[in-house]
Amino acid sequence: MNRKTLVLSAVVGLLAPVLVACGGSESGGDGGKTIVVGTTDQFVATKDAPAPFDPAHAYETGIWNVMRQSTQSLVHVPRGGGLPVPDAASTCNFTDKENESYRCTLRSGLEFADGTKVTADDVKYSIQRVLDIKDDNGPAGLLDNIDTMETKGEGEIVFHLKTPDATFPYKLATPAAGIVPKDKYQPKKLRDGFEMDGSGPYTMKAEVKNEQVVKFTFTKNPNYQGDVKFANDKVELRSFPTAEAMGTALAKGDIDLMARAMTPGQIQQMQVSPNKDVNLVEMPGLEIRYLGFNTDDPSVKNKAVRQALAQAIDRSQLVSKVYGQTAEPLYSLIPTSIAGHTNSFFNKYGESSKAKAQNILKSAGIQTPVKLTLNYTKDHYGSITEDEFKNLSAQLNATGLFSTTVQGTEWSKFRPAQKKGEYAVYGLGWFPDFPDPDNFVAPFFGKDNFLNTPYVSNDIRNTLIPQSRVAADRNQASKTFEQIQDIVANDVPVVPLWQGKQYVAARSDITGTEWAINSSSDLQLWELGRGKK
């Protein structure tokens, strides 16, 4: 998710036993009192993104975490993670050994929030619409392995895939496959504005000022049928301009829980001086941060420049100085906690070394210092991103091999410019659409990839990615992913930097925080309840 372009988040991946709710929608706890959640995510309608919550356009974690509350897909990833389970569907499964045909049967009596019946034709329409619109910034790539969709009566749909794909159920669990009503979403045109309609757990009302949402109100959908059980009747999600403002609101009791994104300083303060009224929970994270390159730009077209950057950067120093204990160095796009991870960049380059970086450049005939601008977004990942890029720039300049400057840009301008190839070097983050190594590879190097990168590895795109998707047992694909990571470390279309730990901070009377997020950092507001102190 640009999706998946994200932050050191307080909405986190929780690696825990899978406890699956078995359908139903009973409220629990003190469901009558609204629970208020804070976020620093900004929700803005712009010329480049006029339809923030349209499934055909939306593709970043903050947006998806709003959409998951009101849109419903055939399956969803349960509580603590694991394999997707039926949600709008009553059953879903592959019908062949090759993982090329996937059949789902809808729940009986399934309805949209307005009471309109949901049928298999609605499912087909919704997914075909995403594929037809194929928005430049959208998630169509997640679904482009669908060859045909066949409906049988009102309650059954079969997906016939172009090639085997054991990860397909995970893709159906994303908001990209959210089911929407035909009368609210035109077949080949995005829906402008902030409205959402679906059959998900809640209905949503957005409070908008200056084309920006300041508050969402989620109210329990009385027509919902699915896997979710409710611990509340209503939740508010409030957007704050800074993490500091959000922290102040939590301390005053104006909000009940802090979601993304807390600063390392806030986290450290809570660890050193705990507040008896606030609980801080640390969990393993799946967020990664990396440098990307426009490999057609003359300044970085020679891979020796990119290799020298990978050799010169001191990840441990970066993490220690900027993020402290809230992150750890990363030497692959695939995080350490995901099966198939290997430290390919460390295996090739080892520790940071000026001498080795100098030899790489000298052998390629590259004159030094190499002049580069390091571009970052100054309002999407929090203010600390500026500190990160100043640190990177200082590191590189200290070698004498590079002469770098940093440039911060608002996300609304940064992302379109990056997609158009206007930046030679840029910083982005990633949370997975689903917790499988495929989702740390295909969105970067597959066809119509998220980065819109000119870099192409035919081995990765045409052989290794399809080969990795055949294995139903994902551990059997580990060797293939190791090959992919080694190719990336050699070609350096990206440089992985760090992997984030993740945190939730909540008032002590809030229950269900351990289930409020799952292993892909999906926000599950229905899990939050209010107990007694």
Side-chain angles (χ1 to χ4, degrees):
M1 196 204 220
N2 76 39
R3 258 209 89 282
K4 304 268 30 354
T5 48
L6 307 174
V7 231
L8 177 67
S9 173
V11 188
V12 240
L14 180 58
L15 305 181
V18 178
L19 301 178
V20 180
C22 299
S25 57
E26 298 83 4
S27 293
D30 185 7
K33 188 175 181 181
T34 301
I35 293 172
V36 184
V37 176
T39 181
T40 58
D41 283 325
Q42 305 298 302
F43 308 96
V44 183
T46 67
K47 180 180 179 180
D48 291 307
F53 299 109
D54 190 312
H57 171 81
Y59 197 23
E60 61 178 273
T61 290
I63 296 291
W64 273 16
N65 277 336
V66 173
M67 294 176 65
R68 290 181 193 277
Q69 316 310 314
S70 295
T71 58
Q72 185 181 26
S73 32
L74 290 167
V75 295
H76 80 140
V77 177
R79 281 187 159 182
L83 295 173
V85 297
D87 190 21
S90 58
T91 61
C92 281
N93 56 273
F94 282 107
T95 59
D96 64 330
K97 293 181 180 180
E98 290 75 28
N99 297 330
E100 287 185 306
S101 183
Y102 194 72
R103 184 188 305 269
C104 291
T105 302
L106 296 183
R107 292 180 185 268
S108 177
L110 194 68
E111 294 179 342
F112 290 112
D114 64 3
T116 305
K117 189 174 184 178
V118 178
T119 68
D121 282 336
D122 293 308
V123 178
K124 180 179 179 180
Y125 174 85
S126 300
I127 292 175
Q128 188 62 54
R129 179 177 176 273
V130 173
L131 293 171
D132 288 344
I133 291 176
K134 199 177 182 180
D135 186 78
D136 286 343
N137 293 305
L142 285 173
L143 305 172
D144 64 3
N145 194 32
I146 296 173
D147 187 14
T148 60
M149 291 177 282
E150 176 186 3
T151 59
K152 298 185 177 182
E154 291 189 339
E156 189 170 284
I157 184 167
V158 182
F159 299 91
H160 300 289
L161 307 182
K162 298 172 185 175
T163 58
D165 187 1
T167 71
F168 185 67
Y170 282 110
K171 295 169 183 176
L172 282 186
T174 69
I179 307 166
V180 298
K182 297 177 183 178
D183 62 333
K184 302 289 178 61
Y185 294 81
Q186 296 183 41
K188 296 186 179 181
K189 181 181 178 182
L190 293 175
R191 182 179 185 179
D192 292 354
F194 298 102
E195 291 183 307
M196 285 193 299
D197 288 276
S199 54
Y202 296 99
T203 59
M204 184 276 282
K205 181 178 180 182
E207 183 178 318
V208 180
K209 293 182 179 179
N210 300 321
E211 294 301 311
Q212 181 168 344
V213 178
V214 295
K215 181 177 73 175
F216 298 96
T217 300
F218 297 104
T219 304
K220 180 180 171 183
N221 174 11
N223 292 326
Y224 172 74
Q225 293 190 57
D227 188 57
V228 165
K229 287 187 176 180
F230 291 85
N232 61 69
D233 294 323
K234 184 178 289 188
V235 181
E236 287 184 7
L237 183 66
R238 296 182 187 174
S239 179
F240 289 86
T242 65
E244 290 75 17
M246 181 171 62
T248 298
L250 181 70
K252 292 169 59 178
D254 292 339
I255 63 174
D256 298 300
L257 183 142
M258 289 217 296
R260 23 181 283 130
M262 301 160 64
T263 68
Q266 287 176 313
I267 294 165
Q268 183 180 19
Q269 179 64 30
M270 291 182 187
Q271 292 170 332
V272 173
S273 303
N275 183 331
K276 65 181 178 64
D277 295 321
V278 175
N279 295 324
L280 177 70
V281 181
E282 176 185 324
M283 292 164 272
L286 295 179
E287 176 200 13
I288 66 169
R289 197 69 62 84
Y290 59 93
L291 290 179
F293 302 99
N294 173 5
T295 54
D296 278 348
D297 189 282
S299 63
V300 293
K301 188 170 186 176
N302 191 321
K303 75 176 179 182
V305 175
R306 309 193 302 268
Q307 289 176 331
L309 277 166
Q311 181 67 74
I313 291 172
D314 187 337
R315 294 168 178 78
S316 296
Q317 193 261 12
L318 171 68
V319 168
S320 174
K321 293 291 186 182
V322 180
Y323 292 102
Q325 297 181 355
T326 65
E328 59 185 271
L330 183 65
Y331 296 90
S332 170
L333 283 177
I334 300 176
T336 57
S337 50
I338 294 288
H341 164 85
T342 187
N343 288 317
S344 294
F345 273 79
F346 188 85
N347 295 340
K348 182 169 180 63
Y349 302 101
E351 298 288 356
S352 171
S353 170
K354 172 185 174 179
K356 290 181 179 179
Q358 187 172 27
N359 285 337
I360 292 171
L361 294 171
K362 184 177 180 180
S363 297
I366 304 295
Q367 292 188 346
T368 59
V370 178
K371 294 184 178 181
L372 297 172
T373 299
L374 309 181
N375 291 275
Y376 69 95
T377 171
K378 60 185 181 181
D379 62 346
H380 194 65
Y381 301 125
S383 59
I384 199 168
T385 309
E386 180 179 1
D387 296 334
E388 176 180 352
F389 274 74
K390 285 182 177 179
N391 180 283
L392 284 170
S393 180
Q395 281 191 33
L396 294 171
N397 292 347
T399 67
L401 304 174
F402 297 93
S403 175
T404 67
T405 57
V406 298
Q407 179 65 50
T409 306
E410 294 84 359
W411 178 253
S412 61
K413 297 178 181 178
F414 174 89
R415 176 61 172 149
Q418 180 271 315
K419 290 272 287 185
K420 293 174 184 175
E422 294 178 12
Y423 303 142
V425 188
Y426 52 87
L428 282 173
W430 183 261
F431 270 112
D433 304 315
F434 49 90
D436 186 277
D438 178 271
N439 198 239
F440 292 92
V441 171
F444 296 87
F445 309 120
K447 185 181 178 182
D448 299 324
N449 61 76
F450 153 74
L451 292 177
N452 196 33
T453 176
Y455 168 79
V456 175
S457 165
N458 289 319
D459 284 343
I460 292 177
R461 180 176 294 182
N462 301 325
T463 301
L464 296 175
I465 289 177
Q467 180 178 307
S468 74
R469 291 173 173 171
V470 174
D473 180 351
R474 303 306 290 150
N475 289 320
Q476 293 180 6
S478 293
K479 291 294 183 183
T480 303
F481 285 114
E482 288 177 15
Q483 289 179 260
I484 292 172
Q485 291 166 90
D486 287 345
I487 292 172
V488 173
N490 181 70
D491 293 352
V492 198
V494 297
V495 173
L497 296 174
W498 54 262
Q499 174 180 348
K501 299 177 184 178
Q502 306 192 53
Y503 301 81
V504 166
R507 304 289 299 183
S508 56
D509 63 332
I510 297 300
T511 63
T513 53
E514 70 272 31
W515 300 120
I517 46 181
N518 66 16
S519 62
S520 294
S521 299
D522 304 337
L523 187 59
Q524 301 177 140
L525 294 178
W526 50 85
E527 297 283 0
L528 297 174
R530 196 181 297 277
K532 295 181 179 179
K533 291 186 179 181

